[in-house]
Amino acid sequence: QVQLVESGGGLVQAGGSLRLSCVASGSMLSINPMGWYRQAPGKQRELVATITSAGITNCVDSVKGRFTISRDNAKNTVYLQMNSLKPEDTAVYGCYARDYRNRDYWGQGTQVTVSS
């Protein structure tokens, strides 16, 4: 069983930055990949960025060049650095993980609001 606890959301003006953190229970080495999802009101959940245990990253086109995902295996933590935020980035952002049995876990999420 994996538990995920996110932090770092908040209100920011357009063009600003936020850094989200997610602490995972259990060994990070058995959790692969990890990532961040977001869900805006009335929209489907979207997995915006992922990172493997080897550090290989992937992200959706809408955040490329603005969002950076990273992980610290020693701290059991994954981060999402979000720069040049836009009002359309407003959503609940949450942590995602897949364990060695290919079971998916989704964190509760933290609200990110970008004002224009």
Side-chain angles (χ1 to χ4, degrees), residues 16-32:
S17 299
L18 281 175
R19 189 192 195 203
L20 306 181
S21 301
C22 170
V23 180
S25 63
S27 170
M28 289 282 282
L29 297 179
S30 66
I31 302 173
N32 190 35

Side-chain angles (χ1 to χ4, degrees), residues 42-99:
K43 294 188 177 181
Q44 286 190 327
R45 183 167 58 193
E46 175 186 38
L47 192 60
V48 296
T50 58
I51 184 167
T52 69
S53 57
I56 298 171
T57 63
N58 194 21
C59 60
V60 296
D61 288 344
S62 59
V63 306
K64 279 183 179 177
R66 301 188 298 122
F67 291 11
T68 302
I69 186 170
S70 60
R71 65 193 282 174
D72 185 334
N73 291 333
K75 295 182 178 180
N76 279 14
T77 302
V78 63
Y79 305 96
L80 186 68
Q81 177 66 44
M82 304 186 293
N83 298 327
S84 302
L85 283 160
K86 305 175 181 180
E88 52 263 43
D89 294 319
T90 294
V92 171
Y93 284 73
C95 197
Y96 159 79
R98 173 169 290 180
D99 71 11

